[in-house]
Amino acid sequence: MITTAALIILGVLALFVMFDLLFRPTIRRLGLRNVVRRRGEAMLVIVGSMLATALIIASFVIGDSFGASIRSVAETRYGPVDEIVQVEDPEATAEKIKQGDTATIFDGIMVSRQADVAVRTETGTVEPSLRLLEFDIGEAKAFGNDTSSTGVVDLPDTLGVSKVALNQKTSDDLGLKEGETFEIFFGPTPVEVEVVSVVPTKGMAGFGQIIADADAITRISPDRDEFSSHQVLLSNTGDVYSGAERTEEAEQLLDSIFDTEASSETVAEVFPVKRNLLENADEEASGMTELFGTIGGFSVAAGILLLVNLFVMLASERKVELGTLRALGLTRSQLRRAFSLEGLTYGIFSAVLGVVCGVGVAAGVMAFAGSSFGADSNVTLRLSVSPNALVSGVAIGLAISQITVLFTALRLVRLNPARALVDAADPKRGLNNKIKFALATLGVIAGVAVYLLLTNEPVPVMLAPVIVAVSAIFPLGFMLGKRLAAPLCCALGIVWVAAVFGIRSDAMDDPDIVLFLVQGLVMVGLGVVVMGSLNKVFRRAIALLSSSYAVKLGLAYPLARPVRSALLISMYALVVFTLTFMSVLTAVFGGSTTQFAAKFGGSSDILVEANPASPVALAELEAVENVDSAVAVDRMLFGYKNEGSIEDESDREVGSILDAKFAELVAPPTLSRSSQFASDEEMWRTVASSDEWIVMPTFDSSVLEVDDVVELIGADEQSVAVKVAGTIENTWMIDSGAHLSVELAEQLKTYEERSSRFYVQATEGAELTVVADQIGSRFATNGVEAESFLAMAESDTAEQEVFFNILQGFLGLGLLIGIAGLGVVLVRSVRDRRQELGMMRTVGIKSSVTRNSFLIEACFIGFQGVALGVGLGLLSSWLTITKSTAFEEGLSFTVPSRQLMLLSAIALGASLLAGLIPAVRAARTTPAEALRVA
Amino acid sequence: MFRTKLEADVDVSLGASVVSAKKVRKTYRTGNLEVPALKGVDLEISSGEFVAIIGPSGNGKSTLLNCLSGIDTIDSGSVHIAGQDIFGVRDAKRTALRASMMGFIFQSFNLVPVFSAVENVEMPLLAAGVKPKIAREKASRMLDQVNIGKRSAHRPSELSGGEQQRVAIARALVAEPAIIWADEPTGNLDSATAAVIVDLLKEVNANGQTVVIVTHDRGIAKQSDRIVKVRDGRIESDETSAEMAGA
Ligand SMILES: Nc1ncnc2c1ncn2[C@@H]1O[C@H](COP(=O)(O)OP(=O)(O)O)[C@@H](O)[C@H]1O
Ligand SMILES: [Mg+2]
């Protein structure tokens, strides 16, 4: 949508420019000659505007790449399989589906069976959990319309007794080759099997890590049938990707087939795996694009400021020239059009460069993300560049730069030819007071109205009071004086924007990332005004500290050109603000691992997952060294209804069945608790022995609150009404789901004791990872995986940190924009001020003084930008973390002072660097040379 | 320390040679284009002289002035200011010499736009190491002397051309330099304002300061002690007013 708008705007602009280019030779000459007049500077303008385009393109390409990487899982994991139907009696179900008139939709229907097994190789490597998939290989080869996508095309129709195939990835992980043997544990006694073939990791051979003939599982463990699951695999007509387009039809068809079935003996659950995957890929893609786009948005905003700055400088340099042209009879519109033509030329060059750099940046991000996350994920991250991404990026980047140029040009050509000719300042041409007053009133009224009307829209709620505050500057100026009114109102605006998450948490619930962009932009804008009003104070303070002439000179220019300085400071502040915000988040998450661990593990330390087919006895577990005690938690599936609403009847959630020991040993802290209970302990104790209460994960707390009545539904549709005693944090890492008592579970009748999960408390002072490793290796062939809650939290935050680092690196490019901008401005200043510099040198001011003055100027700007950015970043992150609902509760705010110092040092160092070239240049020219009229 | 050492080197007693140029050559090179601007100039100026340099445009007057004052470099020859070989020392010393004993006035006034009038005027004093407070006082007094004391807080863009040149002159005179270099100081001004400025220069000259002025204005040249005529990078004639009067 944005792309379309951008394309339309560009189209219109291009039309006008084309017209001038073809039919207006004066404009053409003026515009194009200016481009080539100073090649070096044209290059700087191009590079400056290129960065913004590059960042936009990179955002799109990164999104696309994540999407494409996930999409490719369709091949490596599913191949021709589009839907998986989980059933008890696969043969009958498959038959039923075949009998329905389904040939037009499905081009593959087959049954398979899977079991989670542990594996031990001859070298002693144990892998506790692998998926063994068995099916009729002959049938599989004819499954779907593209045999090669099944992954099993090279296998014989039967592998034979005790023979299996491995996919490439599993073969690599376990170091097992064709002809070698290994042991499979599915139950207490192992079975030796031989690898007859290693097949590509795709299709069914991607889904199943071990492939075997149709009767293999029964052969391995005749008595463990109940621990395996059966499914019917369906392939829609079409290829790997296009097949998923027919999933909707397939679902309807399957519904009708299963519904007509009178006896409800068969419970068939349809999983549209491929469509879900592809949808997830699309979501992830647009999510990543949005994330990187928004974070990059700060840099893009900095880029826009850079462009404005460059053009303002260009125009001031050409002021006399523009005055002459106006005096010679060129109209404003002609000058503006010449500027536009010049701008578009820069824009086109920068778009081309932007594409190259944007793709480069995206490639870097993907490579880094791939090397950081890639190892244990089943998604292989790789770069994917679509023409769409490039077109969108170029269109948006170009539209932004051209609109900026247009508005800047409109402002610039409003010069008075006579005054421009003698290079005198234009008289201040303000609006008259009546109009100002009317505008201010309008602003206040509009702000109040918006606030009252759009009372739940986060962006208006955030912005309306700011509009009121800014509008109030003018009327307040009469009472307090403008000097005081502007900073006061802007400061109030900042306070509001910073505090709004806390004050109006109702409207700011679950804030969108774009909201943070808006917040940052507004805060920095207002902050620069406040900072500007402090300039006099700065000057005094610095004058007190140093009487050096270089300092006086270095401050004189930025202080005398407040708008230009404000633009530069904003560029820095925007980027530093975001970097600060993200550093704080990283530190806060990193510092909260113990808290996270406690949130899920309660007072226990280690989570142990076992394979129910090879159960571990609690006593055995407790006998492991350094295990103090352990609780077995049984799990079950059930459905639930809340006041008549039900998600989907066939959807069942997992639940944990707790006993008194759990209540004592684990008892994770609640997020909210019914007032019936005085403490968490009391609540857990009550829930453990009650058939009235249940504890829900936050996962459902958007629907459920404490004391709500919920109807639990068992497998045979029997239901029990219970109340929500409290809520706890849920996470995919643990997925403990709802917690209910043994009594309740028995009433739901789906419950059979089948412990597969333990919460372990280690002895005081024991090294948790060591204990977890001991448990893991002791019971590996039982399929046991043990990890401490702390390690889970740490690896989760580590991942988050890597991701934040990537984002910070991405943002760092924005800092480049700021530095480049400052450099460009100062380099041009040397030219601008050439004669003055010459004069100073002539009257005897040392070249070291003029050189230092440039460095001081650069530092002064850099320092203000960094101070503003860090200050506002800290303010905003503090309020967001402690006062808003944006992140988990209970996070404690920490200032990553080392990082912030480093960040500030880098930014300041970089601004010094930006001042260095102009400083050296300024010192090098002889006074006579500098004094010559250019 | 630096200043005292410098002053020890410097001899500016009335009538002594204050500027001594020998065989000065200067060629401008832009790309492969060579413009010989000075083709071997010899010139002696004594302390307290009022010298006018005249000649057609483009013949090397400004170049001569720039080379004599050391704000430009020369290709060969030598320039001594008060006995100091200014091209035999480093740039820093040259700069210090300017700060301590030279004042400059140009056709385009070259004021620093972000500084007020008084800040522009105090610049040479600060450059010469005078204390800021004293510099400010002296600068204000100087502005009073050139009759724009009332505008001392204004920026150059808020002043007229004549006023700007007065500020520039105040800047040139404020440090009471031994030599004042003026390159067409009246070129941008009406004749009345020009006359005021020449009067000012004559006044300081009467105090013993040396004035070297490049001008196109015959009237101004006539008021000088000595007229040096430059043509095609050489000194064509060099006559005192008395000689001219006698001729
Ligand atoms: N920086 C420069 N680069 C190249 N040529 C120059 C430069 N400055 C002066 N010239 C040339 O040197 C000659 C003398 O210039 P100048 O001393 O300015 O003359 P005048 O002051 O007598 O008008 C002229 O031909 C001029 O074009
Ligand atoms: Mg000249």
Side-chain angles (χ1 to χ4, degrees), chain B residues 56-63 107 183-184 214 216:
Chain B
S57 165
N59 273 256
K61 302 184 299 294
S62 298
T63 307
Q107 180 173 3
D183 191 353
E184 299 188 35
V214 171
H216 272 124

PDB file of all heavy atoms in Angstrom, chain B residues 56-63 107 183-184 214 216, ligand 2:
ATOM      1  N   PRO B  56      46.949  49.523 -13.314  1.00  0.00           N
ATOM      2  CA  PRO B  56      45.727  48.965 -13.897  1.00  0.00           C
ATOM      3  C   PRO B  56      45.358  47.650 -13.214  1.00  0.00           C
ATOM      4  O   PRO B  56      46.211  46.957 -12.672  1.00  0.00           O
ATOM      5  CB  PRO B  56      46.094  48.711 -15.351  1.00  0.00           C
ATOM      6  CG  PRO B  56      47.348  49.466 -15.594  1.00  0.00           C
ATOM      7  CD  PRO B  56      48.037  49.605 -14.288  1.00  0.00           C
ATOM      8  N   SER B  57      44.113  47.351 -13.332  1.00  0.00           N
ATOM      9  CA  SER B  57      43.584  46.131 -12.710  1.00  0.00           C
ATOM     10  C   SER B  57      44.242  44.886 -13.310  1.00  0.00           C
ATOM     11  O   SER B  57      44.539  44.846 -14.508  1.00  0.00           O
ATOM     12  CB  SER B  57      42.070  46.128 -12.916  1.00  0.00           C
ATOM     13  OG  SER B  57      41.553  44.873 -12.660  1.00  0.00           O
ATOM     14  N   GLY B  58      44.510  43.918 -12.502  1.00  0.00           N
ATOM     15  CA  GLY B  58      45.071  42.656 -12.981  1.00  0.00           C
ATOM     16  C   GLY B  58      46.574  42.706 -13.191  1.00  0.00           C
ATOM     17  O   GLY B  58      47.143  41.813 -13.795  1.00  0.00           O
ATOM     18  N   ASN B  59      47.245  43.710 -12.654  1.00  0.00           N
ATOM     19  CA  ASN B  59      48.668  43.834 -12.904  1.00  0.00           C
ATOM     20  C   ASN B  59      49.543  43.423 -11.727  1.00  0.00           C
ATOM     21  O   ASN B  59      50.757  43.547 -11.801  1.00  0.00           O
ATOM     22  CB  ASN B  59      48.995  45.254 -13.352  1.00  0.00           C
ATOM     23  CG  ASN B  59      48.821  45.400 -14.865  1.00  0.00           C
ATOM     24  OD1 ASN B  59      49.778  45.434 -15.611  1.00  0.00           O
ATOM     25  ND2 ASN B  59      47.570  45.435 -15.318  1.00  0.00           N
ATOM     26  N   GLY B  60      48.921  42.995 -10.656  1.00  0.00           N
ATOM     27  CA  GLY B  60      49.721  42.420  -9.568  1.00  0.00           C
ATOM     28  C   GLY B  60      49.772  43.238  -8.288  1.00  0.00           C
ATOM     29  O   GLY B  60      50.579  42.943  -7.407  1.00  0.00           O
ATOM     30  N   LYS B  61      48.909  44.230  -8.137  1.00  0.00           N
ATOM     31  CA  LYS B  61      48.956  45.074  -6.939  1.00  0.00           C
ATOM     32  C   LYS B  61      48.593  44.259  -5.686  1.00  0.00           C
ATOM     33  O   LYS B  61      49.311  44.278  -4.688  1.00  0.00           O
ATOM     34  CB  LYS B  61      47.974  46.252  -7.068  1.00  0.00           C
ATOM     35  CG  LYS B  61      48.230  47.139  -8.282  1.00  0.00           C
ATOM     36  CD  LYS B  61      47.294  48.326  -8.306  1.00  0.00           C
ATOM     37  CE  LYS B  61      45.817  47.955  -8.398  1.00  0.00           C
ATOM     38  NZ  LYS B  61      45.458  47.308  -9.675  1.00  0.00           N
ATOM     39  N   SER B  62      47.453  43.555  -5.774  1.00  0.00           N
ATOM     40  CA  SER B  62      47.028  42.776  -4.610  1.00  0.00           C
ATOM     41  C   SER B  62      48.046  41.703  -4.292  1.00  0.00           C
ATOM     42  O   SER B  62      48.379  41.458  -3.130  1.00  0.00           O
ATOM     43  CB  SER B  62      45.677  42.127  -4.881  1.00  0.00           C
ATOM     44  OG  SER B  62      44.709  43.113  -5.089  1.00  0.00           O
ATOM     45  N   THR B  63      48.553  41.089  -5.343  1.00  0.00           N
ATOM     46  CA  THR B  63      49.547  40.044  -5.129  1.00  0.00           C
ATOM     47  C   THR B  63      50.745  40.613  -4.380  1.00  0.00           C
ATOM     48  O   THR B  63      51.253  39.996  -3.440  1.00  0.00           O
ATOM     49  CB  THR B  63      49.977  39.449  -6.487  1.00  0.00           C
ATOM     50  OG1 THR B  63      48.816  39.047  -7.195  1.00  0.00           O
ATOM     51  CG2 THR B  63      50.895  38.267  -6.291  1.00  0.00           C
ATOM     52  N   GLN B 107      38.853  45.262   0.309  1.00  0.00           N
ATOM     53  CA  GLN B 107      37.712  45.827  -0.412  1.00  0.00           C
ATOM     54  C   GLN B 107      36.409  45.201   0.068  1.00  0.00           C
ATOM     55  O   GLN B 107      35.445  45.888   0.378  1.00  0.00           O
ATOM     56  CB  GLN B 107      37.900  45.585  -1.904  1.00  0.00           C
ATOM     57  CG  GLN B 107      36.764  46.127  -2.732  1.00  0.00           C
ATOM     58  CD  GLN B 107      37.083  46.020  -4.221  1.00  0.00           C
ATOM     59  OE1 GLN B 107      38.113  45.491  -4.614  1.00  0.00           O
ATOM     60  NE2 GLN B 107      36.200  46.541  -5.037  1.00  0.00           N
ATOM     61  N   ASP B 183      43.856  47.082   0.872  1.00  0.00           N
ATOM     62  CA  ASP B 183      43.713  46.747  -0.560  1.00  0.00           C
ATOM     63  C   ASP B 183      42.378  47.273  -1.062  1.00  0.00           C
ATOM     64  O   ASP B 183      41.329  46.691  -0.801  1.00  0.00           O
ATOM     65  CB  ASP B 183      43.809  45.226  -0.732  1.00  0.00           C
ATOM     66  CG  ASP B 183      43.933  44.827  -2.200  1.00  0.00           C
ATOM     67  OD1 ASP B 183      43.801  45.719  -3.065  1.00  0.00           O
ATOM     68  OD2 ASP B 183      44.141  43.637  -2.472  1.00  0.00           O
ATOM     69  N   GLU B 184      42.447  48.373  -1.765  1.00  0.00           N
ATOM     70  CA  GLU B 184      41.245  49.035  -2.279  1.00  0.00           C
ATOM     71  C   GLU B 184      40.166  49.154  -1.203  1.00  0.00           C
ATOM     72  O   GLU B 184      39.046  48.684  -1.397  1.00  0.00           O
ATOM     73  CB  GLU B 184      40.707  48.299  -3.507  1.00  0.00           C
ATOM     74  CG  GLU B 184      41.734  48.298  -4.641  1.00  0.00           C
ATOM     75  CD  GLU B 184      41.172  47.752  -5.942  1.00  0.00           C
ATOM     76  OE1 GLU B 184      39.976  48.006  -6.187  1.00  0.00           O
ATOM     77  OE2 GLU B 184      41.908  47.080  -6.661  1.00  0.00           O
ATOM     78  N   VAL B 214      46.513  50.073  -1.591  1.00  0.00           N
ATOM     79  CA  VAL B 214      46.316  49.857  -3.024  1.00  0.00           C
ATOM     80  C   VAL B 214      45.058  50.612  -3.408  1.00  0.00           C
ATOM     81  O   VAL B 214      44.031  50.482  -2.739  1.00  0.00           O
ATOM     82  CB  VAL B 214      46.147  48.366  -3.340  1.00  0.00           C
ATOM     83  CG1 VAL B 214      45.736  48.182  -4.792  1.00  0.00           C
ATOM     84  CG2 VAL B 214      47.426  47.605  -3.038  1.00  0.00           C
ATOM     85  N   HIS B 216      42.682  52.706  -6.736  1.00  0.00           N
ATOM     86  CA  HIS B 216      42.472  53.160  -8.111  1.00  0.00           C
ATOM     87  C   HIS B 216      42.214  54.646  -8.130  1.00  0.00           C
ATOM     88  O   HIS B 216      42.154  55.266  -9.182  1.00  0.00           O
ATOM     89  CB  HIS B 216      41.224  52.467  -8.681  1.00  0.00           C
ATOM     90  CG  HIS B 216      41.545  51.155  -9.296  1.00  0.00           C
ATOM     91  ND1 HIS B 216      40.936  49.990  -8.921  1.00  0.00           N
ATOM     92  CD2 HIS B 216      42.427  50.821 -10.257  1.00  0.00           C
ATOM     93  CE1 HIS B 216      41.426  49.002  -9.625  1.00  0.00           C
ATOM     94  NE2 HIS B 216      42.332  49.484 -10.449  1.00  0.00           N
TER      95      HIS B 216
HETATM   96 MG    MG C   2      43.571  43.790  -6.625  1.00  0.00          MG
END
